[in-house]
C-alpha cells in the first residue's frame, strides 16, 4: 500500500473491510488471477512444470517450498515470542484446539471420504491422508488476514507440529487399516516413519520460525521495540501476501493441468473437501464462542482446525502410492480447493466477528486503513 492511502481516514463506524489495504481488500481477485496465471503458464510452457518439479526441498518442489517459507517468515517475524509461554499455559483453549485437530478433524474427513467417495477407494485414502495432516503453514496467513492472534497461532502450530510427528503414523494406521476392516472394506498399509514427518516439520516450520525469532531478537536490540513494530513490521507484512501469491502461481503451474484434464474427478474430490472446511470452521467458531474465547483466539482456533498440511499429505501419498496414483491426485487437489475456500472463510470470520463480538475493540478502531496483513485492532 502506498503512503497516500495510509493517510486516509475511514468514516466513523467504518467496517474492517473498509480499513483493509487494497492488497487485502481485493485478495480473492489476486488469488484467482494467480491461479489463472499458473494454469496458463503450465499450458503455454508444458515443460515448465517438470522443470520446476525436478529440484526439490525435502519432497516438495523447490519453487513451492520457497513460496511457503517466504509467506511464513513475515508472519513469524511479527510474533511476540515473550507472550508464547503464557498462551501455551492456557490449557482450556489449547485443549479445545487439540480436540478439534486430532479427534474431530480426522474423524470428519474419514466420514466424508467414505460417504461421498464409496466407489473411489484411492481418492478416499488420499483425503484421509489430508485429514490427518494438520496445518502448519498457510494457516498463519489465513489467521493474520482474519485478525487472529499471531502469537497464539504460533503456539498452536508448534503444538500441532509435535503431535503430527507422534500421531500421524498412529492415526494413519487406525483410519486406513483398522476402521476400514470394521466397515467391511480392505485395509491400506501406511509405511511412513516419524523421522520423515519430523524432517518435513523441521524444514517448513523450523526454518521460518528460527528466521522470524532471530529477526525480532537482533533488530529490537539494535533499533528498539518501537522502531521494529512501527517501521519494520509494516514494511515486512505485505511480503507475506506476495509470497502466498507466488506459491499459488507455482502450485497451479505444476498441478493445475489436473483441473483441465480430469474435471469430473476434481469435482468429486473437491466436494468432501469443501464440506470439511465449512464444517470444521463453523464448528470450531461455535465451540470457541460458546466457551467465551475472545474473537482473536476464536479465529485462530477456527483456522487452525480448518486448514491442513497438504505438503505433508502430498509427500506421503507420492512416497507410498506413487506420483501417478489416485491417492496422490486427491492430495494435489486439496490445496487447489483450500486456497479459495479459506480466503472466503476469512471474510466470513470477519463478518461473524462483527456480528457476535460487537464490543471487541477490533471493530471500534478508527485508525487508518491497515497495510496488508496488519491487525486492525487497538
Amino acid at each position: 500500500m502506498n503512503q497516500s492511502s495510509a493517510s486516509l481516514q475511514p468514516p466513523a463506524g467504518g467496517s474492517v473491510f473498509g480499513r483493509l489495504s487494497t492488497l487485502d481488500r481485493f485478495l480473492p481477485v489476486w488469488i484467482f488471477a494467480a491461479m489463472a496465471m499458473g494454469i496458463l503458464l503450465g499450458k503455454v510452457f508444458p515443460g515448465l512444470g517438470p522443470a520446476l518439479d525436478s529440484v526439490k526441498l525435502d519432497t516438495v518442489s523447490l519453487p513451492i517450498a520457497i513460496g511457503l517459507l517466504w509467506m511464513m517468515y513475515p508472519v513469524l517475524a511479527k510474533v511476540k515470542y515473550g507472550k508464547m509461554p503464557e498462551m501455551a499455559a492456557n490449557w482450556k483453549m489449547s485443549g479445545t484446539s487439540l480436540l478439534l485437530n486430532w479427534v474431530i478433524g480426522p474423524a470428519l474427513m474419514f466420514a466424508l471420504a467414505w460417504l461421498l467417495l464409496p466407489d473411489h477407494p484411492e481418492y478416499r485414502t488420499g483425503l484421509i491422508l489430508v485429514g490427518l495432516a494438520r496445518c502448519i503453514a498457510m494457516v498463519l496467513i489465513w489467521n493474520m488476514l482474519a485478525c487472529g492472534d499471531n502469537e497464539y497461532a504460533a503456539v498452536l502450530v508448534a503444538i500441532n507440529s509435535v503431535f503430527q510427528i507422534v500421531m500421524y503414523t498412529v492415526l494413519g494406521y487406525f483410519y486406513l487399516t483398522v476402521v476400514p476392516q470394521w466397515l467391511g472394506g480392505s485395509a491400506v498399509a501406511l509405511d511412513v516413519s516419524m523421522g520423515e514427518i519430523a524432517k518435513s516439520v523441521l524444514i517448513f516450520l523450523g526454518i521460518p520460525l528460527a528466521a522470524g525469532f532471530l529477526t525480532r531478537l537482533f533488530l529490537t536490540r539494535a533499533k528498539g521495540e518501537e522502531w521494529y513494530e512501527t517501521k519494520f513490521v509494516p514494511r515486512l507484512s505485505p511480503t507475506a501476501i506476495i509470497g502466498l501469491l507466488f506459491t499459488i502461481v507455482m502450485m497451479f503451474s505444476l498441478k493445475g493441468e489436473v483441473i483441465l484434464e480430469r474435471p469430473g474427478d476434481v469435482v468429486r474430490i473437491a466436494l468432501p473437501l469443501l464440506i470439511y472446511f465449512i464444517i470444521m470452521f463453523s464448528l470450531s467458531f461455535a465451540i470457541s464462542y460458546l466457551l467465551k474465547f475472545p474473537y482473536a483466539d476464536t479465529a485462530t482456533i477456527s483456522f487452525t482446525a480448518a486448514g491442513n498440511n497438504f505438503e505433508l499429505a502430498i509427500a506421503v501419498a507420492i512416497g507410498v502410492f506413487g506420483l501417478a496414483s489416485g491417492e496422490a491426485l486427491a492430495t494435489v487437489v486439496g490445496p487447489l480447493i483450500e486456497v479459495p475456500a479459506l480466503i472466503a472463510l476469512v471474510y466470513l470470520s470477519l463478518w461473524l466477528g462483527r456480528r457476535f463480538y460487537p464490543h471487541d475493540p477490533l471493530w471500534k478502531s478508527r485508525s487508518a486503513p491497515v497495510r496488508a496483513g496488519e491487525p486492525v485492532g487497538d
Side-chain angles (χ1 to χ4, degrees):
M1 186 182 72
N2 57 42
Q3 278 303 115
S4 60
S5 63
S7 63
L8 297 175
Q9 293 292 332
S15 70
V16 167
F17 303 105
R19 284 178 268 133
L20 291 174
S21 71
T22 300
L23 185 60
D24 279 347
R25 195 181 308 158
F26 296 102
L27 187 57
V29 176
W30 315 140
I31 283 179
F32 281 108
M35 293 163 66
M37 182 183 296
I39 293 174
L40 182 63
L41 284 173
K43 197 72 175 175
V44 174
F45 305 102
L48 179 64
L52 294 175
D53 204 29
S54 63
V55 182
K56 296 180 182 292
L57 178 62
D58 193 26
T59 56
V60 179
S61 169
L62 182 60
I64 292 179
I66 290 172
L68 290 170
L69 297 175
W70 178 4
M71 71 183 188
M72 290 174 68
Y73 163 65
V75 183
L76 291 170
K78 292 171 62 177
V79 170
K80 297 176 180 176
Y81 291 92
K83 295 170 61 177
M84 289 178 63
E86 176 186 347
M87 294 182 172
N90 189 334
W91 283 105
K92 183 178 181 181
M93 290 196 300
S94 298
T96 301
S97 178
L98 287 173
L99 174 67
L100 289 164
N101 274 282
W102 294 102
V103 179
I104 296 176
L108 176 62
M109 187 70 88
F110 177 89
L112 290 172
W114 273 77
L115 180 65
L116 298 176
L117 293 168
D119 54 335
H120 284 285
E122 70 283 7
Y123 296 161
R124 196 167 63 212
T125 296
L127 289 184
I128 292 171
L129 291 176
V130 170
L132 297 177
R134 312 315 299 171
C135 196
I136 64 170
M138 282 193 178
V139 67
L140 296 173
I141 291 288
W142 311 133
N143 177 72
M144 178 182 70
L145 293 172
C147 300
D149 190 309
N150 290 326
E151 286 75 30
Y152 189 47
V155 168
L156 292 185
V157 163
I159 292 173
N160 276 342
S161 298
V162 173
F163 268 76
Q164 202 146 241
I165 294 169
V166 176
M167 296 301 297
Y168 191 88
T169 302
V170 175
L171 289 176
Y173 175 79
F174 178 72
Y175 280 110
L176 293 177
T177 302
V178 177
V179 181
Q181 291 180 327
W182 293 348
L183 301 176
S186 57
V188 177
L190 184 64
D191 183 19
V192 184
S193 71
M194 291 183 182
E196 292 174 300
I197 298 171
K199 182 174 66 172
S200 176
V201 170
L202 181 63
I203 291 171
F204 293 106
L205 176 62
I207 291 176
L209 183 64
F213 174 78
L214 292 174
T215 298
R216 174 174 282 275
L217 177 66
F218 288 120
L219 287 185
T220 52
R221 285 182 178 178
K223 294 284 196 173
E225 188 78 24
E226 182 179 356
W227 177 89
Y228 188 86
E229 295 292 344
T230 61
K231 301 293 185 182
F232 180 73
V233 166
R235 286 172 171 76
L236 181 66
S237 292
T239 66
I241 308 301
I242 297 171
L244 171 65
L245 297 176
F246 173 82
T247 303
I248 292 169
V249 172
M250 292 296 99
M251 189 184 299
F252 275 76
S253 67
L254 287 167
K255 306 297 184 182
E257 76 279 357
V258 171
I259 295 176
L260 302 177
E261 293 175 358
R262 303 169 73 173
D265 286 359
V266 169
V267 171
R268 289 288 307 275
I269 296 168
L271 182 59
L273 282 168
L274 286 172
I275 295 173
Y276 171 86
F277 294 139
I278 293 169
I279 291 178
M280 282 303 297
F281 178 84
S282 303
L283 181 63
S284 303
F285 202 100
I287 290 174
S288 300
Y289 175 76
L290 292 174
L291 291 175
K292 302 185 184 304
F293 297 155
Y295 168 78
D297 296 327
T298 295
T300 300
I301 290 171
S302 301
F303 281 101
T304 306
N308 293 93
N309 185 354
F310 288 102
E311 300 77 37
L312 175 60
I314 291 170
V316 170
I318 292 174
V320 176
F321 302 101
L323 181 61
S325 66
E327 291 84 356
L329 173 62
T331 59
V332 165
V333 171
L336 308 186
I337 301 303
E338 183 190 43
V339 170
L342 269 291
I343 192 61
L345 291 177
V346 167
Y347 283 81
L348 176 61
S349 181
L350 291 170
W351 181 84
L352 289 172
R354 285 188 61 86
R355 174 68 176 81
F356 292 101
Y357 293 85
H359 303 297
D360 195 294
L362 182 66
W363 321 118
K364 297 181 178 181
S365 172
R366 295 295 186 269
S367 60
V370 294
R371 297 176 188 268
E374 285 184 357
V376 189
D378 294 336

